[in-house]
Amino acid sequence: MKIPDWHVLFGSMGIILSIANLALLFRVWDIVHPEFFVWILGLGTVLALIIYGICGFFDISLVTNRLNALIIWAHLLNSLSIYIWLDFIFHKATIFHQEYKWTYIVLPLLWTMDSKFQNKDSLRNIVKFSILFIGLAAATRNTLRLIFGI
């Protein structure tokens, strides 16, 4: 069996499974705080676009790379979901919380990957996708817990 483009096949499977899981989750649980989803996604996207625009204006290629910008967006969502969780749920917001520590090293890690591993595209992209999914998975988990009130 020959598949012309396996990227489309695996991407489609991932999207279908994600939608099925979210549909099941929304069927079982009631949404308690939909405003948290709007705040996290909206503010994270606006901040990421502002950072992307400023770095594009000053021609900072580290942030204007599309994959790097996506990684920064995912980690902004993660940081915002943690901040909202700590501030609104527990009323003790602090930027030195344990979950923020990973976010501090994202830009130096991206710079290292882009400058030191220029000839190793496969390794660099695998590590970048891993960094992306670390931020996006935590942001998704935290946001879902917030909107369901768990």
Side-chain angles (χ1 to χ4, degrees), residues 47-79:
L47 286 173
L49 288 173
I50 289 171
I51 291 170
Y52 186 80
I54 290 171
C55 291
F57 180 75
F58 290 111
D59 198 29
I60 301 172
S61 62
L62 175 68
V63 181
T64 55
N65 178 348
R66 289 189 305 176
L67 183 56
N68 291 351
L70 194 60
I71 291 170
I72 291 169
W73 176 72
H75 284 276
L76 276 172
L77 293 179
N78 185 20
S79 297

Side-chain angles (χ1 to χ4, degrees), residues 127-143:
V127 172
K128 282 185 178 184
F129 276 115
S130 300
I131 295 168
L132 171 69
F133 289 122
I134 286 171
L136 204 54
T140 304
R141 177 200 63 209
N142 295 338
T143 305

Side-chain angles (χ1 to χ4, degrees), residues 35-53:
E35 67 274 7
F36 289 146
F37 176 75
V38 174
W39 274 105
I40 292 168
L41 189 64
L43 190 58
T45 303
V46 166
L47 286 173
L49 288 173
I50 289 171
I51 291 170
Y52 186 80

Side-chain angles (χ1 to χ4, degrees), residues 98-109:
Q98 180 178 342
E99 297 244 356
Y100 280 105
K101 291 180 183 174
W102 173 253
T103 307
Y104 294 142
I105 64 169
V106 169
L107 282 177
L109 195 55

